[in-house]
Amino acid sequence: MTETVKLKSPIDGSIYAERPLASDATINAAVERARAAQVEWAATPIAERGKYLLAMLEELIGMNDEIVTELAWQMGRPVRFGGEKGGVEERTRFMVEIAGAALKPVPASNPKDGFRRYIKRDPLGVVLVIAPWNYPYLTAVNTIVPGLMAGNAVILKHAAQTLLVGERFQAAFDKAALPKGLFQNIVMNHAQTEKLLGSGRIDHVNFTGSVAGGRAIEKAAAGTFMTVSLELGGKDPAYVLPDAKMDHAVANIVDGAFYNSGQCCCGIERVYVHEKVYDEFVDGFIDLTKQYVVGSPLDQATTMGPMAQSRFADLVREQKAEALRKGATAHIGMKVEGDRAGSPYLGPEVLTGVNHQMSVMREENFGPIVGIMKVRDDDEAVQLMNDSPYGLTASIWTTDTDRAAAIGDRIETGTVFMNRCDYIDPALVWTGVKDTGKGGSMSAVGYENLTRPKSFHLREAI
């Protein structure tokens, strides 16, 4: 009997989709097709590659109504938010637009008579994208689009929780008439993925997921000399200064903490507020959080759906219980139908009286719970923001740009925000430090990570 992958919907626990695992022969054939197609693709002009990518984008946008409903069933995001179309379009168009300049050969900085010297960016070959379920289109497109634009072939292994996303990408590329073999969606389990990584036939892997998953990726790839890009855990902080525009800060940090049920790579999980505005901020934060409507993501009135899996919700419940045992105060206590151990449904929660001896302030929860701490000054805020094994983003809320930049220089993080959070700007590299991982996507730097430098040192005949 063929082994299958089952997608259990968080809406009602039903099996929403089931797909057979690819056989070893199927995986091997896919890699061979990718490698053969990539050779010709690498010789295709960048502008021509861009036409295929933009055609794929149009096909994907045309499927959005169906995609929005599928996302609700697969991972619980409310239909009222319209899926991920906007971000996918912004990132795709930008990365296609800058490809020519980003991949253009760079002349040596010190010209010499009689020589032609430059550095060229060559594609790596076959790129494997291992994408997560929380933003299944956005996280995948971050590497799929620049990977193909850079002249690579791309194989996508999507999360079991979002099986249908890979099929949507495949259908969009097929309708765009991308040459066969350049993009392939394959259903694999962990063991098959690790075997493929260790085979030496993959040139680059991009993985977004847990720290444990990242370690497994590096272990599987050890000795192959392939390049590895990892975006792993996060515990992103926000710091609210006394001069912050309070209404703006409250509204955006609440959204940054609870959008997508808190299941955001760069969502706000901990907040530090200057003592001068602590009470005002906390009061506003609690009032706005109480306005969330938790329920079926298929209902237009719902602003927070279930978490993708029950075990994720149970982790949030455990963190809350531990914090309360250690003296924290919970302020929301929203009554949500179906909220019980073993259920993916639970309401947002705001905790005060927290400290860094509590897991809610130290360990990633990836859910709708946030702790708020009072701080005396910038030094204490920076010390606490850096007291974490992770470093993806940090946001600073102030009207003083110079002060924000100075504080940002002291924070161990991949991105410093001022007066915004939970956003990827495709013109800036998306990267992390410490246990959040390594490598980077988006911007021209993203192209550097998907190519290898090749030097040309050409001397004219004497």
Side-chain angles (χ1 to χ4, degrees):
M1 182 179 293
T2 302
E3 185 179 351
T4 63
V5 175
K6 295 181 174 67
L7 192 172
K8 184 178 179 181
S9 174
I11 291 180
D12 58 6
S14 64
I15 301 301
Y16 182 64
E18 184 174 4
R19 298 291 185 270
L21 284 175
S23 66
D24 288 348
T26 298
I27 296 170
N28 291 337
V31 175
E32 292 305 314
R33 283 194 300 271
R35 195 158 296 283
Q38 189 271 329
V39 174
E40 185 173 346
W41 182 246
T44 302
I46 292 173
E48 190 68 18
R49 297 175 202 163
K51 292 178 182 178
Y52 285 106
L53 271 296
L54 293 178
M56 179 281 297
L57 174 64
E58 293 302 323
E59 295 294 343
L60 206 59
I61 289 173
M63 303 175 190
N64 196 61
D65 288 346
E66 294 89 351
I67 285 172
V68 168
T69 302
E70 285 177 356
L71 285 176
W73 279 102
Q74 289 179 94
M75 46 76 65
R77 185 180 305 139
V79 294
R80 67 178 290 144
F81 297 121
E84 300 172 20
K85 179 179 69 172
V88 168
E89 182 170 11
E90 180 186 28
R91 297 178 197 184
T92 298
R93 293 194 186 282
F94 182 82
M95 294 306 288
V96 169
E97 179 184 343
I98 70 167
L103 298 169
K104 184 178 180 180
V106 178
S109 59
N110 57 333
K112 292 183 178 181
D113 291 340
F115 291 88
R116 184 180 174 191
R117 298 149 59 239
Y118 59 95
I119 301 170
K120 186 174 177 288
R121 305 298 311 189
D122 272 6
L124 296 172
V126 178
V127 171
L128 176 63
V129 177
I130 306 176
W133 52 265
N134 64 316
Y135 281 92
Y137 287 92
L138 290 171
T139 53
V141 84
N142 287 353
T143 303
I144 291 172
V145 170
L148 288 166
M149 285 299 301
N152 301 292
V154 173
I155 293 174
L156 173 64
K157 185 269 179 200
H158 222 298
Q161 193 67 42
T162 40
L163 276 175
L164 303 186
V165 174
E167 294 179 5
R168 288 290 183 182
F169 272 114
Q170 188 71 68
F173 277 116
D174 290 347
K175 290 180 179 179
L178 185 75
K180 298 295 184 183
L182 285 174
F183 175 86
Q184 297 172 84
N185 173 59
I186 306 179
V187 179
M188 295 185 287
N189 60 23
H190 293 321
Q192 289 174 313
T193 304
E194 290 174 3
K195 182 179 179 180
L196 178 58
L197 288 171
S199 71
R201 295 180 298 157
I202 299 297
D203 301 295
H204 177 83
V205 62
N206 177 275
F207 171 75
T208 305
S210 67
V211 174
R215 292 194 175 109
I217 296 292
E218 286 206 320
K219 183 178 179 181
T224 66
F225 306 123
M226 67 188 294
T227 53
V228 178
S229 182
L230 305 171
E231 184 196 322
L232 309 176
K235 192 70 182 172
D236 291 10
Y239 173 35
V240 182
L241 279 74
D243 66 338
K245 295 285 184 68
M246 195 56 59
D247 289 346
H248 175 82
V250 167
N252 283 271
I253 298 175
V254 166
D255 184 67
F258 299 129
Y259 184 80
N260 206 36
S261 298
Q263 300 168 133
C264 303
C265 300
C266 55
I268 300 297
E269 292 208 2
R270 51 200 176 108
V271 184
Y272 305 100
V273 186
H274 195 282
E275 59 187 8
K276 291 182 179 179
V277 292
Y278 177 81
D279 291 339
E280 180 185 0
F281 177 85
V282 169
D283 288 346
F285 199 95
I286 292 169
D287 288 344
L288 189 56
T289 301
K290 288 180 177 179
Q291 296 177 29
Y292 274 88
V293 177
V294 182
S296 169
L298 301 174
D299 188 337
Q300 282 288 343
T302 296
T303 56
M304 182 180 291
M307 296 191 71
Q309 294 184 20
S310 299
R311 63 187 177 94
F312 303 151
D314 283 343
L315 172 62
V316 174
R317 294 183 179 103
E318 291 169 9
Q319 283 197 347
K320 176 181 175 180
E322 182 223 29
L324 294 180
R325 288 195 304 271
K326 292 182 176 179
T329 300
H331 294 274
I332 308 300
M334 185 179 293
K335 294 188 181 301
V336 174
E337 185 177 352
D339 183 356
R340 61 184 180 279
S343 167
Y345 287 90
L346 78 167
E349 189 56 88
V350 178
L351 302 175
T352 58
V354 293
N355 58 54
H356 276 224
Q357 282 67 56
M358 300 174 183
S359 62
V360 74
M361 298 300 286
R362 291 276 304 162
E363 299 173 14
E364 184 177 33
N365 53 57
F366 219 57
I369 187 169
V370 65
I372 306 176
M373 283 183 67
K374 182 188 299 184
V375 296
R376 296 182 303 274
D377 52 29
D378 295 351
D379 289 341
E380 184 180 15
V382 169
Q383 185 273 322
L384 290 168
M385 285 191 280
N386 286 341
D387 183 28
S388 169
Y390 306 112
L392 183 57
T393 79
S395 61
I396 302 165
W397 303 79
T398 177
T399 55
D400 188 336
T401 304
D402 290 340
R403 185 175 179 183
I407 294 170
D409 278 339
R410 300 168 60 193
I411 302 173
E412 298 162 351
T413 190
T415 294
V416 177
F417 290 115
M418 172 180 159
N419 296 331
R420 78 175 310 171
C421 58
D422 193 21
Y423 173 74
I424 293 182
D425 182 340
L428 300 174
V429 65
W430 189 245
T431 188
V433 300
K434 299 190 281 191
D435 281 359
T436 291
K438 64 181 182 180
S441 60
M442 299 286 96
S443 77
V445 177
Y447 278 115
E448 292 175 7
N449 286 321
L450 289 163
T451 55
R452 63 171 61 87
K454 182 176 183 179
S455 291
F456 285 76
H457 192 132
L458 311 179
R459 182 178 185 179
E460 295 178 2
I462 299 175

